[in-house]
Amino acid sequence: MADKIYTVSQLNKYIKQRFTDDIILNNVMLRGEISNFKVHTSGHCYFTLKDSSAAIKCVAFRSSAMRWRFAPQSGMKVIAEGYVSVYERDGAYQLYVQTLVPEGVGELTLALEHLKEKLGAEGIFDSRHKQPLPFYPQTIGVVTSRTGAVIRDICKVAGRRNPLAKIVLFSVLVQGENAAGQIAAGIDFFNKKYPVDVIIVGRGGGSMEDLWAFNEEIVVRAIFNSKIPVISAVGHETDYTLADLASDVRAATPSQAAELAVPERDALRDYTATLQKELTYKYCKQLEQKRSHLKILLQNSLLMHKDKLLVSRQQNLDMLTERLHKSAQLRFKDKLHQAALLSEKLQALNPANILKRGYSLIKKENEFVKSVCDVKKGDFLQINLADGTMDVQVIGIAEQEKRNNLRNVYG
């Protein structure tokens, strides 16, 4: 007997987890016949998928069912893709369908839908990545078969619209095992080795299998990565490939691709003539506006009486000159006065003038005597007076301190 007792919910949850962990059951494709197909008010679809000896319940949620491109019906043979899991409430396993296609369409359609969803998630088909076509392309690169009608149609239309346009062909296989690689190589060739103004990638119509090379990922990415604008012209008007979605412009036919790539010469001439007329009109209008403005300026009172304007400026110049002259005189007088004051100070400090007031200069051996300490009894001195010099000998020295003492004693 088991050591532990589980509830039904726990068992169903455990079984569901085992289904989830299984790699095969997480992504499985089944072929079978639809029976008991019903659409709930919620938009979810419920049906049974069966073959000759077995059946499995299926559910498709509204978000998945909205992407289906056909209306499923009981008795229809289909290919369903999804994952197997357990509906815990009933303890029943069922297929949760994510993609459903009629069996007649085959696995190519299913693969196409998968690749389209993958590349779409990367933004490869977004309009923000689309490049505008050049206004006047001189060289057009064409990636297609040398022997097909596509290149003949493109050359015919391009030659009629503008004989000066140059068509360069990169011949490739347009169907078969090696076609996708050659088409991608042609696009890379024009981007890296032989620059052109625009690239046309195309072929004639055919079945899905015939056009499959233009659904290959390598071709789609080559178109997306092209620095040169790409026009797709694959199949006929009703045929759509992933190359059409990735290209900058989609043409319904190769002839239309040539019309989109090559502007008509006569139309260009008319457009150029229109631009020239418009330019001439704008030039004349602007010239007339400038003349009118100049006329208004010439009628200005100042310009009409320019002599008065000059007289006014001359008067201002005279006034400024007079002010400058007066200012210079004042500055000169001020400097003269300062020079006189400095001269008086110098005269007052002149030693000769000091001697005239009764002072004298005493030298000993050509050096001035500044203190009694500089001489001794018996020294010969030279006394300089205002009107001459005297040579004397020191016979006695009375220091200032002794004199002060005597003055204090005798009052």
Side-chain angles (χ1 to χ4, degrees):
M1 186 174 180
D3 296 334
K4 184 176 179 180
I5 300 176
Y6 295 93
T7 64
V8 175
S9 298
Q10 290 175 328
L11 178 61
N12 286 349
K13 184 175 294 186
Y14 174 78
I15 295 174
K16 181 178 181 180
Q17 186 61 45
R18 295 302 297 269
F19 273 67
T20 303
D21 295 339
D22 190 285
I23 298 177
I24 296 177
L25 297 180
N26 272 331
N27 187 12
V28 63
M29 295 177 62
L30 298 179
R31 176 184 287 108
E33 179 183 323
I34 296 176
S35 65
N36 300 323
F37 186 85
K38 296 179 181 178
V39 180
H40 194 269
T41 55
S42 62
H44 305 327
C45 301
Y46 300 91
F47 58 95
T48 300
L49 196 62
K50 64 180 183 178
D51 57 21
S52 59
S53 57
I56 184 174
K57 291 186 177 298
C58 302
V59 58
F61 295 121
R62 182 174 179 270
S63 58
S64 298
M66 289 177 63
R67 296 196 298 267
W68 297 346
R69 295 189 173 183
F70 72 106
Q73 297 178 1
S74 296
M76 184 178 292
K77 295 185 181 297
V78 295
I79 297 176
E81 181 188 16
Y83 62 93
V84 179
S85 186
V86 174
Y87 183 42
E88 295 182 40
R89 193 197 69 177
D90 296 343
Y93 75 90
Q94 55 190 10
L95 176 66
Y96 290 83
V97 181
Q98 295 174 313
T99 303
L100 190 69
V101 295
E103 186 178 7
V105 175
E107 298 181 0
L108 282 180
T109 300
L110 193 59
L112 178 63
E113 290 298 323
H114 284 173
L115 183 57
K116 180 180 178 182
E117 185 175 351
K118 171 189 172 182
L119 299 178
E122 296 181 23
I124 288 181
F125 306 134
D126 291 354
S127 59
R128 69 176 184 272
H129 298 305
K130 307 298 183 185
Q131 303 179 77
L133 298 181
F135 176 73
Y136 185 69
Q138 299 180 9
T139 307
I140 295 93
V142 181
V143 180
T144 190
S145 172
R146 183 187 303 274
T147 59
V150 172
I151 186 62
R152 293 196 299 271
D153 292 344
I154 291 175
C155 291
K156 180 180 178 181
V157 174
R160 184 183 71 247
R161 293 177 66 84
N162 185 2
L164 298 179
K166 181 180 179 182
I167 305 298
V168 180
L169 172 67
F170 188 96
S171 181
V172 297
L173 295 174
V174 291
Q175 68 183 68
E177 183 178 353
N178 299 321
Q182 292 186 15
I183 295 169
I187 298 171
D188 290 340
F189 172 78
F190 287 124
N191 274 272
K192 299 176 181 178
K193 297 182 179 180
Y194 196 101
V196 294
D197 299 310
V198 65
I199 301 173
I200 298 176
V201 179
R203 62 151 289 157
S207 64
M208 176 179 289
E209 290 78 6
D210 294 337
L211 304 179
W212 189 254
F214 295 90
N215 288 319
E216 294 280 0
E217 184 172 355
I218 187 175
V219 174
V220 177
R221 292 194 181 276
I223 292 174
F224 177 75
N225 293 325
S226 175
K227 303 301 181 183
I228 303 171
V230 176
I231 301 175
S232 65
V234 182
H236 299 300
E237 188 171 357
T238 57
D239 298 324
Y240 263 88
T241 63
L242 297 185
D244 294 318
L245 300 179
S247 62
D248 298 295
V249 177
R250 189 254 177 183
T253 62
S255 297
Q256 187 186 35
E259 292 177 354
L260 292 172
V262 183
E264 195 171 6
R265 184 174 57 178
D266 293 340
L268 286 176
R269 287 176 177 172
D270 295 341
Y271 180 68
T272 304
T274 301
L275 289 179
Q276 187 174 5
K277 289 180 181 179
E278 185 176 353
L279 181 61
T280 303
Y281 169 76
K282 289 184 176 180
Y283 167 76
C284 294
K285 185 176 181 180
Q286 189 175 32
L287 184 61
E288 184 61 30
Q289 289 176 347
K290 298 298 182 183
R291 286 175 177 171
S292 178
H293 188 212
L294 180 60
K295 185 177 180 181
I296 293 174
L297 290 176
L298 291 175
Q299 292 176 351
N300 188 284
S301 59
L302 291 177
L303 291 177
M304 294 180 67
H305 303 88
K306 50 185 177 296
D307 294 339
K308 292 183 179 180
L309 181 62
L310 184 61
V311 168
S312 175
R313 295 292 185 268
Q314 185 65 49
Q315 186 176 357
N316 289 338
L317 179 61
D318 292 341
M319 292 177 62
L320 291 174
T321 304
E322 185 178 354
R323 287 174 59 185
L324 180 62
H325 182 67
K326 289 181 178 180
S327 177
Q329 286 182 335
L330 290 176
R331 292 289 299 276
F332 182 70
K333 288 181 179 180
D334 184 57
K335 295 300 181 182
L336 284 178
H337 179 66
Q338 292 180 12
L341 292 176
L342 291 174
S343 179
E344 291 178 1
K345 290 182 180 180
L346 289 174
Q347 290 296 328
L349 296 174
N350 189 345
N353 292 332
I354 295 175
L355 294 178
K356 289 179 181 180
R357 295 199 298 270
Y359 295 95
S360 63
L361 297 173
I362 302 174
K363 289 184 178 182
K364 175 186 175 182
E365 296 177 354
N366 290 329
E367 292 187 4
F368 288 105
V369 176
K370 300 178 182 179
S371 171
V372 294
C373 297
D374 296 336
V375 299
K376 61 183 180 291
K377 187 177 179 179
D379 287 343
F380 287 95
L381 303 176
Q382 186 184 55
I383 299 175
N384 295 299
L385 301 172
D387 55 353
T389 60
M390 294 185 301
D391 294 326
V392 299
Q393 186 179 16
V394 179
I395 59 174
I397 298 174
E399 296 181 3
Q400 184 68 29
E401 184 177 354
K402 294 180 179 179
R403 292 181 180 179
N404 289 337
N405 291 338
L406 291 174
R407 189 180 294 112
N408 292 334
V409 173
Y410 297 104

